[in-house]
């Protein structure tokens, strides 16, 4: 019953929702997404970067769900921070949160309902998933897992703070919270036990769409071609990864955030699966052992996922010290007060507010409900007290005027 940040485990749930809409004829998986919008895609501020590239008109829901849109995982981790195509849509598989966010925007516009409303009505309520949501629920506060780093220290953002990143808007790519029990209900009742017309929908969801022929899911290995996973026919379906084994087909997904690491795999022909939710940056190091002992799974492509096994012989690393705050002249701090442009969410920007008060600098929390203290590491770089993984740096122009954050 403990609520965890599902991270990317929310993507298959969103994919299931899209498949239900396709089942009802509301969306065509192979129709260009831009055709569903009231305005050209590039007229939406979040997609203005694609204005000069006509390939955006080729993207379909099938491509978004099979991660073959050609868009990056997240634009802000690209060298220039801009949204662009890494390859032509449909050319290959490359995990893309941007593609999922685009599909969410289209679904919400064409239905006139936000993701949370659609998910509650079509998935969470019908399947009895009473502790799952894409937005914060007050009941989570009674029993929620807080994130921890590799040294066992509570670090990162709570579920509520993570969902604050989306400005109280549901995010298909990562704002969902759930419990192990709820997610198991989703897989068991929604997928394994589907009947009639729904069975055909689920079968299509679990049908391989595009082969995976590269070394690792993320990092440089994502661009190194290999055939090492062809013996298990590693592929991506619609919302799920899939591999084949002597025990039949298996579908899986991973989920990761600062202090949260999750994994789920299900052997569809056996009706056997597992949901692992972890509030530790060490979870992935023991996933392989847990899978083997709990369900006899020896086929999950842990190497492709980037899961490094726990090595008890390796000496424990010494945790880095917390940043040591330094004193900064209040007159300098006061120059940083103001409102800055920012983007907490892929689909809308929101101002970042900083104030100077009591000789200290404060930043408004992402959910807009409190002012957090900014601790100086240098005269220009600051971290949020208690959330040191998030840092802010104030930028000055040649004349010494503060121009950006």
């Amino acid at each position: 019953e403990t609520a965890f940040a599902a991270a990317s485990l929310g993507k298959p749930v969103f994919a299931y929702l899209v498949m239900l809409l396709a089942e009802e004829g509301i969306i065509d998986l192979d129709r260009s997404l831009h055709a569903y919008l009231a305005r050209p895609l590039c007229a939406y501020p979040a997609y203005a970067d694609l204005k000069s590239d006509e390939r955006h008109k080729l993207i379909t829901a099938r491509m978004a769900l099979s991660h073959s849109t050609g868009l990056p995982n997240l634009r802000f981790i690209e060298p220039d921070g801009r949204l662009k195509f890494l390859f032509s849509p449909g050319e290959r598989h490359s995990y893309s949160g941007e593609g999922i966010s685009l599909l969410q925007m289209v679904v919400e516009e064409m239905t006139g309902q936000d993701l949370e409303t659609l998910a509650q009505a079509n998935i969470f309520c019908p399947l009895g998933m009473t502790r799952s949501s894409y937005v914060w629920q007050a009941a989570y506060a009674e029993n929620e897992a807080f994130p921890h780093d590799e040294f066992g220290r509570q670090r990162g953002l709570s579920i509520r703070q993570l969902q604050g990143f989306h400005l109280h808007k549901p995010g298909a790519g990562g704002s969902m919270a759930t419990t192990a029990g709820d997610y198991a209900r989703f897989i068991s009742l929604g997928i394994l036990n589907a009947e009639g017309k729904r069975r055909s929908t689920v079968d299509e969801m679990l049908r391989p769409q595009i082969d995976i022929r590269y070394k690792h899911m993320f990092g440089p290995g994502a661009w190194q071609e290999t055939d090492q996973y062809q013996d298990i026919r590693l592929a991506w379906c619609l919302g799920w990864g899939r591999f084949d084994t002597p025990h039949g087909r298996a579908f899986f997904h991973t989920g990761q955030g600062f202090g949260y690491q999750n994994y789920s795999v299900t052997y569809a022909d056996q009706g056997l699966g597992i949901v692992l939710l972890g509030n530790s940056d060490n979870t992935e190091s023991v996933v392989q052992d847990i899978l083997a002992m709990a369900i006899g799974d020896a086929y999950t492509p842990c190497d492709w996922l980037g899961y490094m096994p726990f090595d008890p012989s390796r000496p424990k690393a010494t945790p880095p010290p917390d940043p040591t705050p330094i004193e900064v002249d209040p007159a300098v701090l006061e120059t940083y007060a103001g409102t800055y442009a920012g983007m907490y969410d892929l689909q809308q920007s929101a101002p970042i507010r900083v104030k100077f008060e009591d000789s200290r600098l404060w930043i408004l929390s992402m959910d807009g409900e409190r002012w957090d203290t900014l601790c100086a590491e240098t005269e220009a770089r600051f971290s949020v007290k208690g959330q040191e993984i998030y840092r802010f740096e104030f930028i000055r122009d040649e004349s010494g005027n503060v121009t950006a954050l």
Side-chain angles (χ1 to χ4, degrees):
E1 292 298 314
T2 300
F4 285 77
S8 287
L9 285 190
K11 289 184 175 75
V13 178
F14 171 64
Y16 183 74
L17 171 64
V18 175
M19 296 302 294
L20 298 186
L21 296 178
E23 180 181 294
E24 297 171 15
I26 295 174
I27 189 171
D28 184 333
L29 297 178
D30 297 305
R31 187 183 183 194
S32 175
L33 291 182
H34 88 102
Y36 288 104
L37 298 171
R39 297 178 288 159
L41 177 62
C42 299
Y44 296 78
Y47 298 96
D49 285 347
L50 301 179
K51 186 175 182 179
S52 62
D53 196 327
E54 289 291 303
R55 289 181 293 180
H56 70 264
K57 295 180 181 179
L58 301 175
I59 298 175
T60 65
R62 188 181 300 276
M63 292 175 184
L65 296 181
S66 61
H67 294 284
S68 57
T69 62
L71 298 174
N73 186 17
L74 297 169
R75 71 188 73 185
F76 67 80
I77 61 177
E78 290 300 301
D80 60 1
R82 307 293 292 270
L83 183 64
K84 59 183 177 295
F85 285 100
L86 304 181
F87 53 85
S88 294
E91 188 175 285
R92 56 162 286 174
H93 175 274
S94 182
Y95 192 84
S96 174
E98 292 284 356
I100 295 295
S101 293
L102 170 58
L103 180 55
Q104 178 188 343
M105 185 189 79
V106 171
V107 166
E108 290 181 330
E109 180 162 318
M110 65 186 293
T111 62
Q113 297 179 299
D114 68 17
L115 172 59
E116 176 66 9
T117 301
L118 290 167
Q120 289 290 352
N122 292 279
I123 303 174
F124 299 149
C125 291
L127 298 183
M129 298 170 65
T130 59
R131 285 179 62 76
S132 296
S133 174
Y134 282 98
V135 296
W136 173 256
Q137 303 293 329
Y140 295 156
E142 303 169 4
N143 185 358
E144 67 170 305
F146 284 84
H148 292 74
D149 68 9
E150 63 181 299
F151 305 105
R153 304 175 302 182
Q154 186 171 312
R155 285 291 191 274
L157 301 180
S158 67
I159 296 172
R160 185 169 191 169
Q161 290 169 328
L162 280 169
Q163 292 176 327
F165 259 125
H166 296 267
L167 308 177
H168 296 295
K169 288 181 54 183
S175 78
M176 181 176 150
T178 192
T179 68
D182 264 14
Y183 208 80
R185 290 183 70 84
F186 163 60
I187 294 172
S188 177
L189 301 180
I191 296 179
L192 294 183
N193 292 301
E195 298 178 342
K197 188 177 181 181
R198 185 62 44 81
R199 181 74 259 160
S200 297
T201 297
V202 168
D203 285 344
E204 177 62 14
M205 186 183 192
L206 298 180
R207 182 173 68 83
Q209 302 290 317
I210 192 161
D211 289 343
I212 293 174
R213 295 180 179 273
Y214 55 92
K215 196 167 184 63
H216 298 302
M217 187 176 188
F218 297 115
W223 302 99
Q224 297 176 17
E225 292 191 10
T226 180
D227 289 328
Q228 72 180 90
Y229 303 111
Q230 292 313 296
D231 57 333
I232 61 170
R233 297 180 63 192
L234 183 62
W236 210 267
C237 305
L238 296 175
W240 296 100
R242 171 177 159 158
F243 55 89
D244 292 346
T245 78
H247 305 291
R249 56 188 173 146
F251 60 92
F252 70 95
H253 211 283
T254 186
Q256 187 184 69
F258 290 115
Y260 292 103
Q261 294 183 347
N262 311 314
Y263 181 69
S264 179
V265 61
T266 303
Y267 284 77
D269 301 317
Q270 293 184 307
L272 178 67
I274 190 167
V275 178
L276 299 175
L277 305 180
N279 61 328
S280 165
D281 281 335
N282 292 317
T283 304
E284 291 174 357
S285 70
V286 293
V287 163
Q288 195 166 6
D289 289 336
I290 295 175
L291 294 176
M293 286 186 255
I295 63 171
D297 172 25
Y299 297 95
T300 280
C302 290
D303 184 53
W304 183 76
L305 290 166
Y307 293 176
M308 298 295 292
F310 172 67
D311 181 359
S313 67
R314 186 174 60 202
K316 275 193 173 183
T318 302
D322 289 335
T324 303
I326 66 169
E327 293 295 326
V328 176
D329 186 343
V332 173
L333 296 179
E334 192 168 9
T335 65
Y336 296 141
T339 301
Y340 299 83
M343 183 171 278
Y344 286 135
D345 185 279
L346 291 178
Q347 295 178 10
Q348 72 175 50
S349 60
I352 299 173
R353 295 181 59 193
V354 176
K355 73 175 181 179
F356 176 74
E357 189 176 278
D358 298 330
S359 297
R360 287 191 289 175
L361 213 54
W362 307 77
I363 189 167
L364 188 63
S365 64
M366 290 172 291
D367 56 19
E369 295 186 356
R370 68 184 184 281
W371 288 93
D372 292 324
T373 304
L374 284 176
C375 300
E377 298 177 16
T378 69
E379 191 174 273
R381 189 171 66 249
F382 294 76
S383 60
V384 180
K385 187 175 183 180
Q387 302 169 25
E388 287 78 6
I389 59 173
Y390 296 97
R391 290 180 164 81
F392 301 84
E393 185 164 3
F394 295 93
I395 308 299
R396 296 181 184 271
D397 61 18
E398 293 179 356
S399 300
N401 300 310
V402 179
T403 57
L405 173 59

